């Protein structure tokens, strides 16, 4: 199934619940009294990007698929609070001092040989007190035999957040549906806040 077909099948869906939960329950409302900077990594057709903009964020939307950015721009139209970038994980450029990085079901599709570099890029870009919200695939996921994608144990996932306070951690290990059909999901959903450095 190509990305265009995926975007067609998921058009009109609501923003993902993890992001809604983060904004409603974990990120203080006064955090966005003035517009803050977010990145949506693996933004797809822009459903979460549009949601963030509506909630008061300036968003850098990143995807390696040209068709994704085209669809995003058609959906959001011209908007002073939107920037876009077409790049794979290993080549994306993130600004300093991001207040939020959202990565909805995207980071597992990074090749294992690039994952550490990508993750360091992400964590370095998040400002102290800023947030990460996203999902990681576990070792029992149906797709875990794919050597091109990255899968983590629960311990490995938690160890990614040594510089963060984990505010929410949920493991899903159950049968379900993907756009391609039946699928066993093993997913770790994380909301975390970056701690102040010891040198601060």
């Amino acid at each position: 199934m190509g990305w265009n077909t995926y975007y067609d099948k998921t058009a009109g869906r609501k923003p993902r619940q993890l992001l809604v939960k983060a904004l409603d329950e974990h990120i203080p409302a006064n955090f966005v009294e003035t517009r803050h900077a977010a990145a949506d990594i693996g933004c797809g057709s822009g459903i979460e990007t549009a949601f963030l903009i509506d909630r008061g964020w300036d968003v850098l939307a990143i995807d390696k698929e040209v068709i994704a950015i085209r669809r995003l721009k058609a959906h959001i139209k011209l908007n002073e609070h939107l920037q876009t970038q077409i790049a794979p994980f290993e080549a994306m450029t993130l600004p300093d001092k991001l207040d939020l990085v959202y990565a909805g079901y995207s980071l597992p599709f990074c090749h294992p040989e690039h994952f550490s570099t990508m993750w360091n890029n992400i964590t370095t870009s998040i400002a102290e007190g800023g947030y990460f919200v996203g999902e990681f695939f576990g070792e029992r996921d149906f797709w875990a035999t794919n050597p091109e994608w990255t899968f983590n144990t629960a311990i490995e996932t938690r160890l990614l957040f040594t510089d963060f306070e984990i505010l929410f951690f949920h493991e899903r290990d159950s049968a379900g549906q993907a756009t391609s059909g039946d699928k066993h999901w093993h997913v770790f959903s994380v909301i975390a806040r970056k701690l102040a450095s010891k040198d601060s």
Side-chain angles (χ1 to χ4, degrees), residues 46-190:
I47 293 171
E48 282 70 37
T49 295
F51 177 70
L52 285 166
I53 290 173
D54 287 344
R55 285 291 192 98
W57 296 80
D58 290 322
V59 182
L60 170 62
I62 304 172
D63 205 290
K64 71 174 183 177
E65 302 295 332
V66 175
I67 188 64
I69 300 301
R70 286 178 181 168
R71 293 182 71 127
L72 179 151
K73 289 181 175 180
H75 176 55
I76 300 179
K77 306 297 183 184
L78 291 176
N79 195 303
E80 63 180 321
H81 303 295
L82 170 67
Q83 296 181 33
T84 60
Q85 186 180 135
I86 300 170
F89 294 114
E90 63 271 21
M92 64 182 178
T93 301
L94 295 173
D96 294 332
K97 308 298 184 182
L98 284 168
D99 300 295
L100 170 65
V101 168
Y102 173 69
Y105 291 94
S106 59
L107 302 188
F109 297 102
C110 179
H111 195 285
E113 70 181 32
H114 300 305
F115 189 88
S116 293
T117 299
M118 175 202 67
W119 185 244
N120 184 65
N121 187 17
I122 289 172
T123 57
T124 300
S125 74
I126 299 175
E128 293 179 0
Y131 295 83
F132 173 86
V133 179
E135 288 91 3
F136 303 85
F137 288 162
E139 75 276 19
R140 292 187 295 278
D141 195 88
F142 177 78
W143 292 328
T145 56
N146 190 325
E148 302 291 314
W149 299 343
T150 298
F151 301 86
N152 300 300
T153 65
I155 292 174
E156 288 169 342
T157 303
R158 287 183 178 275
L159 286 174
L160 294 172
F161 293 93
T162 54
D163 295 330
F164 290 75
E165 176 189 6
I166 295 177
L167 305 174
F168 176 81
F169 188 97
H170 178 263
E171 179 178 2
R172 177 187 179 186
D173 191 357
S174 63
Q177 289 287 315
T179 53
S180 56
D182 294 338
K183 178 184 182 295
H184 186 91
W185 292 93
H186 190 203
V187 179
F188 304 108
S189 300
V190 182

Side-chain angles (χ1 to χ4, degrees), residues 21-35:
K21 180 180 182 68
L23 268 59
D24 287 350
E25 300 178 20
H26 294 283
I27 299 177
N30 62 5
F31 194 77
V32 288
E33 286 179 350
T34 57
R35 300 194 78 95

